[in-house]
Amino acid sequence: MIPNNKVNIEILSLSVLPYCPSSRAATEFPAFGLFSNRTQFIPFARQSHVAVKIKTRNLTFGNSRSRKSRKTFFVNIRDLAIDVVVASRTLCVEMSHDEQFRTLRIDIPFRRSQLNPDHDYSVEVAVPGSDMVLAAHPLSYVSVQMLPTRYYSPVSAYVEAAVASRDGDDVAEIRFVSISSLAKGRSVVFLLENNVTQLARLPELFISFVSRDGRSVMLPCSLVPHESGGVRYVKASCPVPEEIDIDSYLYVELFSMGYHFTGALFDASAGYDEEGELYAEELGVISNLTVEKVRNVLETRRMDRSNSSSETGRPHMSPLDSLVGLKSVKARLESCRKLMDFYRLRREAGLPALSTPLHCLFLGSPGTGKTTVAKELGRVMHECGALSSGHMVIRERASLLGQYYNSESEKTLAAIKEAQGGILFIDEAYQLHQPSDPKDPGRFVLETLMTALADTSKRDWMLILAGYTEPMLAMFSLNPGLASRIPESNFYKFDDFTEEELMEIATRYLSSKRFVLSDSAHEALSRRLSSDYASRKSDFGNARHVVNLIETEVIPAMAMRVSEIKSPSRSELVEIQPSDIPSPAIVRIPPRRIGFAC
């Protein structure tokens, strides 16, 4: 807003709404309830107009000497990239001296063919015959690929308050002890994982505060990006408006690009220990909110939290859930966790608990996550009380063979001792079995392991043998001692990742290293990984192959390209182009011979 004494009608605010002929904005008028503070919209093919909602105030209100206030305005759509007005309408406003406020709507013809999605626009209210702009509202168009669910994954939500320190200088943010106790300075915060940053501009976010009578107040969020552990996050926060009553609960929804894509229901009567931070599985949109629905959601949450609290010792599997794929492995681990937790509960109740074999086989190709899952399994077993520490010791054939013949037993026993309370993980364990060589020293390692597995007095450790599926099963078939101590129910099958999962691994890895793929580079990398997957052999590296491809081919190619640019910009240092992606390998098929072979 720009004040001017010659203008007797003030423009208080603007909001915009592009629409097509079949939308509600076209068939209803004035339909003020459809407008919001949004600035980003998807350029639908049939867009015909941009509706502008204008709130005005009469500066001569109460002055009986002035019967009417009249003013003519231009309402323009300006292309900021070229600084040209590309569409305009004339608006005549007339207000009597006893009318203080008025809300108007004007529709500006602006077709899809007229706009450039790469340009930013401004909707302006200007004074004819001058350069004076009384009010302006940003307007931009973004690709449908910029939908919030592609960019943002909800992680958690909580309420915080800004509290000054005792000396009054520093301001700290604390998560609520109880919502109702924080009378002032409350803010709702959503923590979101930022999945993709292919565009310089992230989708804008709003928080909609829903009152008991169904009315909502939508306010823009402040966005604070940050990074933790190689993962990009966005902290979206918004102060709780004074008009929202939160005596018993507070319900909010996160809104972006026309979508309410997650929500949070806070129990105002709960303390921090009971409520605290709401996590992803506790977030979601609640349609047609009623008091009964609120009661049911809060009661279900209390029961779930009671069942999974630290007092019951139930561990959360969230680190494993963040891994790509591995559906069957995750399901088997969850079943194992429940069984171990059941035994622990029986022990705590003074009941006899069955002893179950912990040792297991991890079967699969390289790069399918066997080592990562083993570490997570150690954590789960520790939290269930099955292992006293849950740490992991990694060995392979070369590190278990001794300098002198028959000293393998000493090294194996030393590894088992080091793994007490945790896991001994032997990678590529099938290499210990060489049936063609009766003098192979690997047999001493296997014999020592079988002896240790047979000692039922030492149960505070766990053996995981990992390797390719076929040679591992062959080793077991020729070693009945191992097969009798590691039941088939403890076999974990790690399947190769699919083409889609390989691409997801690639985008996550690049994101963690602060690289982004252009749209065309995304397609090129997808084609390359699809080709690699189709021509894969038994030693295909899966996730390891993806990382090697990026580190040894994609990034070096990008470095060579960027080195030719004088003073490259930040975007040029992070954006991967299709020329950086190596082309799919050409599989040559030998020509078919015609005739008779000699």
Side-chain angles (χ1 to χ4, degrees):
M1 179 184 66
I2 302 176
N4 187 285
N5 294 332
K6 295 182 181 180
V7 180
N8 52 17
I9 295 178
E10 182 182 27
I11 307 299
L12 296 177
S13 66
L14 296 179
S15 53
V16 301
L17 180 63
Y19 66 84
C20 60
S22 60
S23 64
R24 287 180 58 192
T27 57
E28 300 179 12
F29 194 91
F32 289 144
L34 301 178
F35 290 81
S36 66
N37 292 325
R38 289 178 58 186
T39 66
Q40 297 175 341
F41 297 88
I42 296 173
F44 293 108
R46 298 182 62 238
Q47 176 182 312
S48 58
H49 292 77
V50 172
V52 184
K53 176 184 175 182
I54 305 174
K55 290 185 178 180
T56 65
R57 181 170 65 180
N58 184 5
L59 297 180
T60 64
F61 172 72
N63 184 357
S64 58
R65 299 174 63 182
S66 176
R67 289 190 174 184
K68 292 184 178 180
S69 295
R70 297 185 182 88
K71 194 62 186 177
T72 299
F73 303 101
F74 288 155
V75 184
N76 303 325
I77 298 178
R78 181 180 298 274
D79 188 331
L80 297 178
I82 56 178
D83 195 23
V84 171
V85 173
V86 293
S88 182
R89 282 286 304 274
T90 301
L91 174 66
C92 297
V93 182
E94 184 176 291
M95 303 174 70
S96 61
H97 74 279
D98 57 352
E99 183 181 11
Q100 185 176 8
F101 301 101
R102 180 183 292 187
T103 301
L104 305 164
R105 169 178 162 175
I106 184 171
D107 293 17
I108 306 175
F110 193 50
R111 299 185 180 278
R112 172 66 176 85
S113 57
Q114 295 176 257
L115 66 91
N116 187 331
D118 296 327
H119 289 190
D120 289 328
Y121 296 85
S122 176
V123 178
E124 304 170 346
V125 177
V127 176
S130 73
D131 296 330
M132 185 186 305
V133 176
L134 301 182
H137 186 85
L139 171 64
S140 60
Y141 291 88
V142 295
S143 168
V144 70
Q145 295 178 343
M146 201 174 171
L147 294 180
T149 50
R150 181 185 177 193
Y151 276 73
Y152 299 123
S153 295
V155 176
S156 65
Y158 53 90
V159 175
E160 69 181 8
V163 179
S165 62
R166 291 185 178 181
D167 57 14
D169 294 333
D170 299 329
V171 175
E173 293 178 348
I174 62 169
R175 296 182 183 181
F176 70 93
V177 175
S178 115
I179 296 178
S180 56
S181 68
L182 301 176
K184 295 182 179 180
R186 299 160 298 181
S187 292
V188 170
V189 179
F190 282 92
L191 183 64
L192 308 168
E193 182 179 349
N194 178 18
N195 300 322
V196 184
T197 54
Q198 292 182 355
L199 302 177
R201 190 172 52 232
L202 289 174
E204 59 185 356
L205 295 170
F206 298 84
I207 291 183
S208 177
F209 298 85
V210 182
S211 62
R212 293 184 185 180
D213 58 5
R215 294 182 297 107
S216 63
V217 178
M218 185 178 295
L219 299 175
C221 293
S222 63
L223 302 180
V224 180
H226 68 282
E227 184 172 326
S228 176
V231 181
R232 281 195 291 265
Y233 296 94
V234 172
K235 180 180 174 183
S237 61
C238 181
V240 179
E242 293 291 336
E243 60 266 34
I244 295 297
D245 182 9
I246 56 172
D247 287 341
S248 58
Y249 69 87
L250 172 64
Y251 176 63
V252 298
E253 292 180 346
L254 200 58
F255 180 91
S256 180
M257 301 301 299
Y259 294 86
H260 293 266
F261 69 94
T262 194
L265 176 62
F266 297 100
D267 186 352
S269 63
Y272 176 80
D273 292 337
E274 297 173 296
E275 186 75 351
E277 195 166 3
L278 303 180
Y279 295 96
E281 65 271 13
E282 299 171 315
L283 302 178
V285 175
I286 305 175
S287 58
N288 301 320
L289 190 69
T290 64
V291 175
E292 185 64 27
K293 282 189 176 182
V294 169
R295 188 180 298 114
N296 291 338
V297 170
L298 295 180
E299 183 61 29
T300 301
R301 184 191 301 162
R302 293 189 192 105
M303 293 177 62
D304 290 342
R305 290 195 168 196
S306 175
N307 293 334
S308 62
S309 66
S310 58
E311 295 179 357
T312 65
R314 175 177 177 179
H316 293 287
M317 301 290 288
S318 54
L320 186 63
D321 291 339
S322 64
L323 297 177
V324 176
L326 306 177
K327 291 183 180 179
S328 62
V329 172
K330 292 175 183 178
R332 187 175 287 271
L333 277 180
E334 180 67 7
S335 298
C336 177
R337 181 199 61 75
K338 290 180 179 179
L339 179 62
M340 294 298 104
D341 198 36
F342 173 69
Y343 288 160
R344 181 193 55 77
L345 292 173
R346 284 182 58 88
R347 288 194 302 269
E348 293 177 355
L351 299 171
L354 299 176
S355 60
T356 185
L358 300 179
H359 316 295
C360 57
L361 240 62
F362 280 13
L363 308 174
S365 302
T368 49
K370 296 188 291 295
T371 306
T372 303
V373 171
K375 292 179 181 178
E376 179 64 14
L377 182 57
R379 182 190 68 83
V380 171
M381 289 299 180
H382 171 61
E383 293 184 355
C384 289
L387 295 175
S388 59
S389 66
H391 69 286
M392 187 167 75
V393 176
I394 301 177
R395 293 290 187 271
E396 55 188 13
R397 175 186 169 92
S399 60
L400 290 174
L401 298 185
Q403 183 178 0
Y404 304 103
Y405 191 72
N406 205 24
S407 62
E408 289 74 23
S409 296
E410 296 177 5
K411 284 203 167 188
T412 304
L413 289 172
I416 294 173
K417 183 178 180 179
E418 186 181 350
Q420 283 299 308
I423 293 174
L424 175 58
F425 182 90
I426 301 180
D427 200 11
E428 308 303 336
Y430 59 88
Q431 294 180 354
L432 297 172
H433 178 71
Q434 303 289 337
S436 60
D437 184 3
K439 294 184 178 181
D440 181 71
R443 65 189 178 93
F444 296 115
V445 176
L446 290 175
E447 290 173 0
T448 305
L449 288 174
M450 286 188 285
T451 301
L453 293 177
D455 187 356
T456 57
S457 65
K458 296 181 179 179
R459 295 190 175 276
D460 191 18
W461 75 292
M462 180 178 180
L463 175 66
I464 297 179
L465 301 177
Y468 287 101
T469 302
E470 293 183 2
M472 289 292 292
L473 294 178
M475 179 183 73
F476 257 59
S477 66
L478 297 175
N479 288 271
L482 275 179
S484 64
R485 291 167 177 82
I486 303 180
E488 190 173 345
S489 59
N490 285 15
F491 290 10
Y492 290 78
K493 181 65 171 68
F494 289 73
D495 296 321
D496 284 351
F497 291 111
T498 65
E499 299 175 47
E500 294 77 11
E501 289 169 343
L502 291 175
M503 191 62 199
E504 184 177 353
I505 291 169
T507 54
R508 287 193 185 190
Y509 179 81
L510 289 170
S511 177
S512 70
K513 303 301 181 183
R514 305 295 295 271
F515 289 98
V516 296
L517 290 162
S518 67
D519 289 342
S520 52
H522 189 280
E523 295 176 1
L525 182 57
S526 178
R527 287 194 301 269
R528 169 58 192 262
L529 291 177
S530 177
S531 173
D532 292 350
Y533 177 82
S535 59
R536 72 190 189 283
K537 299 179 181 179
S538 59
D539 60 348
F540 181 65
N542 287 280
R544 197 175 304 162
H545 171 82
V546 174
V547 174
N548 287 340
L549 174 67
I550 292 172
E551 292 182 343
T552 64
E553 297 189 59
V554 176
I555 302 304
M558 178 185 180
M560 294 296 292
R561 174 178 57 81
V562 174
S563 66
E564 302 297 325
I565 303 174
K566 185 178 181 180
S567 300
S569 64
R570 180 181 176 85
S571 62
E572 289 171 329
L573 291 172
V574 300
E575 187 173 67
I576 297 173
Q577 298 295 332
S579 59
D580 305 327
I581 309 298
S583 301
I586 299 175
V587 179
R588 298 188 180 277
I589 302 175
R592 184 178 178 181
R593 301 184 67 178
I594 302 176
F596 297 97
C598 297

